[in-house]
């Protein structure tokens, strides 16, 4: 039987600093009410200025590794915001975690990066190239979001989450099966950073936005709903499953309205859709493992739940897969950061997000 990559442990790290909607409204033309009702986000995690993506990744990796004796021979970091253009962030993370000489590389598929990483980890385990993979989604979007851009600054947050995958069998809970992945490069302009790469190495000094993320929010929203729903249908069909077989929909945490619409399109009751962005924002490649790790830490994922994971991100890229959550050792969240706006409710009501 071919070996399967099986979820062995999970962990996450959130920097302690939070930026509330009211703080954003002090420096840009927006309001707490607009952000809350249009995105469901009340605050976002922000790394300290000196904290790099690798710092977040190391903490998340450490949290996941604390809960397993499995040995790791491969480290994959899914990130859109690496420490440097060269070298990759993963070798630095592996070294700082004391993992020695391991296979390590980065993977960039923006918000779809973690699902792409799960697919890569499965392949490495299936061929025997890896027996223990530490897969980390880590992002410091505050480095590519223009601080005063009301189209992106309210949405993205910094953070990292990690999963340890070991070699096991395909019929075990936690085994990663086929991951449906797709992309359409003709949509690259939906969300992109114009300068800083080989095409345009030096930002235009007259355009302060040149080295920062530009996003066509409305179009991204439309494609995100359509492609995540379509990808989920393919992932379910590949397993011979229907929407009613899904216990939890864990979609990339872009916007609570997107989460609701994807669930509605699929006919999955809204309460089965995991909402994890309220206090931390959209953490891009980290958002799916972040939602899983925080649900596990909170005791709302206990094992045997059938999860439908899906993501959409820049590229455009998207994907989905089905996994049965394994029974993992309980672990507390590593950081209980203060809520950005304690006087507000944590989960927006349906009326608030669908006025
Ligand atoms: O992580 C993966 C990729 N990213 C996503 O999936 C993000 C997907 N998109 C979204 O989440 C939403 O499109 C946004 C939250 C970015 C925007 O929400 P929207 O409901 O699609 O708003 P919109 O872009 O259609 O803008 C509606 C209005 C516009 O004003 P006019 O033209 O109607 O006068 C915007 O200029 O809201 C205005 N607006 C704002 N107003 C206050 C846009 N951003 C803001 C803001 N505060 N922050």
């Amino acid at each position: 039987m071919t070996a399967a990559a099986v979820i062995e442990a999970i962990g996450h790290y959130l920097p302690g600093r939070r930026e509330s909607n009211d703080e954003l409204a002090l420096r840009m033309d927006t309001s707490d009410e607009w952000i809350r009702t249009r995105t469901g986000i009340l605050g976002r995690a922000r790394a300290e200025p000196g904290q790099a993506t690798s710092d977040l990744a190391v903490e998340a990796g450490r949290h996941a590794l604390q809960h397993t004796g499995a040995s790791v021979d491969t480290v994959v970091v899914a990130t859109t915001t690496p420490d440097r253009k060269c070298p990759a962030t993963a070798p630095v993370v592996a070294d700082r975690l004391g993992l020695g000489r391991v296979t390590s590389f980065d993977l960039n598929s923006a918000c779809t990066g973690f699902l792409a990483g799960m697919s890569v980890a499965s392949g490495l385990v299936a061929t025997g190239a890896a027996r223990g993979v530490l897969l980390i989604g880590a992002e410091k979007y505050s480095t590519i979001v223009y601080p005063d851009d009301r189209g992106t600054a309210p949405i993205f947050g910094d953070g990292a989450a990690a999963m340890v995958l070991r070699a096991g069998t395909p019929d075990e809970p936690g085994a990663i099966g086929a991951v449906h992945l797709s992309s359409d490069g003709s949509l690259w302009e939906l969300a992109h950073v114009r300068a800083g790469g080989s095409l345009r190495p030096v930002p235009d000094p007259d355009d302060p936005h040149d080295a920062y993320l530009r996003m066509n929010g409305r179009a991204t929203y439309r494609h995100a709903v359509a492609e995540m729903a379509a990808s989920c249908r393919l992932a379910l069909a590949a397993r011979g499953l229907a929407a009613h077989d899904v216990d939890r929909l864990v979609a990339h945490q872009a916007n609570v309205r997107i989460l609701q619409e994807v669930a509605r399109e699929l006919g999955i009751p809204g309460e089965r859709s995991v909402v994890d962005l309220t206090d931390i924002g959209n953490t891009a490649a980290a958002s799916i493992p972040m939602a899983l790790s925080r649900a596990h830490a909170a005791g709302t994922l206990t094992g045997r739940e059938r999860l439908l994971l899906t993501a959409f991100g820049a590229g455009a890229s998207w994907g989905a897969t089905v996994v049965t959550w394994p029974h993992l050792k309980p672990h507390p969240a590593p950081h209980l950061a203060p809520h950005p706006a304690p006087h507000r409710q944590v989960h927006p009501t349906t009326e608030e997000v669908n006025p």
Side-chain angles (χ1 to χ4, degrees):
M1 190 190 289
T2 311
V6 177
I7 300 168
E8 162 78 9
I10 190 135
H12 66 274
Y13 173 77
L14 282 162
R17 202 154 63 94
R18 290 290 182 282
E19 191 164 45
S20 70
N21 294 345
D22 288 334
E23 282 171 86
L24 286 180
L26 292 175
R27 63 165 200 270
M28 65 184 73
D29 183 15
T30 191
S31 64
D32 169 61
E33 206 247 335
W34 193 96
I35 301 171
R36 193 156 32 90
T37 54
R38 295 295 184 119
T39 70
I41 297 169
L42 306 189
R44 62 287 303 145
R46 294 278 191 245
E48 299 298 338
Q51 236 178 348
T53 294
S54 59
D55 295 315
L56 312 181
V58 164
E59 293 303 327
R62 195 170 281 142
H63 189 225
L65 289 167
Q66 264 170 23
H67 305 284
T68 173
S71 63
V72 164
D73 54 28
T74 303
V75 176
V76 181
V77 175
T79 184
T80 331
T81 51
D83 283 10
R84 308 173 180 87
K85 276 183 205 154
C86 181
T89 303
V92 174
V93 171
D95 177 57
R96 286 183 51 198
L97 286 169
L99 295 173
R101 295 187 172 213
V102 293
T103 306
S104 65
F105 54 89
D106 289 2
L107 186 159
N108 178 354
S109 190
C111 303
T112 312
F114 200 83
L115 286 184
M118 287 172 78
S119 180
V120 167
S122 294
L124 291 171
V125 169
T127 60
R131 292 201 56 79
V133 180
L134 175 63
L135 172 60
I136 307 177
E139 300 281 18
K140 189 184 175 191
Y141 257 61
S142 54
T143 55
I144 61 166
V145 163
Y146 190 73
D148 295 348
D149 177 13
R150 70 178 187 168
T152 53
I155 295 169
F156 293 97
D158 302 330
M163 192 179 262
V164 179
L165 298 140
R166 63 166 169 82
T169 57
D171 50 359
E172 286 184 66
I176 309 300
V179 182
H180 172 255
L181 292 172
S182 192
S183 67
D184 181 351
S186 72
L187 298 174
W188 68 268
E189 279 181 291
L190 280 182
H192 70 283
V193 179
R194 203 150 72 121
S198 62
L199 188 63
R200 198 181 173 85
V202 182
D204 178 350
D206 296 327
D207 182 354
H209 292 268
D210 220 26
Y212 292 98
L213 183 72
R214 292 168 207 255
M215 184 174 73
N216 180 337
R218 204 175 292 190
T220 305
Y221 186 117
R222 215 180 51 245
H223 286 289
V225 171
E227 300 303 353
M228 284 198 280
S231 191
C232 284
R233 285 192 194 99
L234 290 171
L236 287 170
R239 297 278 298 269
L241 297 169
H244 60 77
D245 296 315
V246 174
D247 295 311
R248 299 273 205 295
L249 172 65
V250 186
H252 166 54
Q253 304 284 308
N255 180 323
V256 80
R257 287 157 56 215
I258 293 179
L259 305 181
Q260 289 171 338
E261 281 195 41
V262 173
R264 194 161 46 233
E265 284 268 324
L266 292 167
I268 293 175
E271 63 274 14
R272 292 197 196 163
S273 176
V274 172
V275 176
D276 188 55
L277 81 181
T278 313
D279 59 332
I280 61 171
N282 171 350
T283 56
S287 93
I288 288 178
M290 182 74 73
L292 294 173
S293 184
R294 298 215 303 166
H296 173 60
T300 54
L301 275 184
T302 54
R304 296 272 169 194
E305 294 91 352
R306 189 179 282 130
L307 310 181
L308 177 57
L309 314 181
T310 186
F312 180 90
S317 59
W318 60 89
T321 194
V322 177
V323 64
T324 301
W325 191 247
H327 181 72
L328 302 179
K329 283 185 203 136
H331 70 63
H335 274 76
L336 290 175
H339 192 272
H343 58 284
R344 296 192 198 289
Q345 61 183 358
V346 172
H347 293 288
T349 63
T350 308
E351 289 70 37
E352 279 182 314
V353 295
N354 277 326

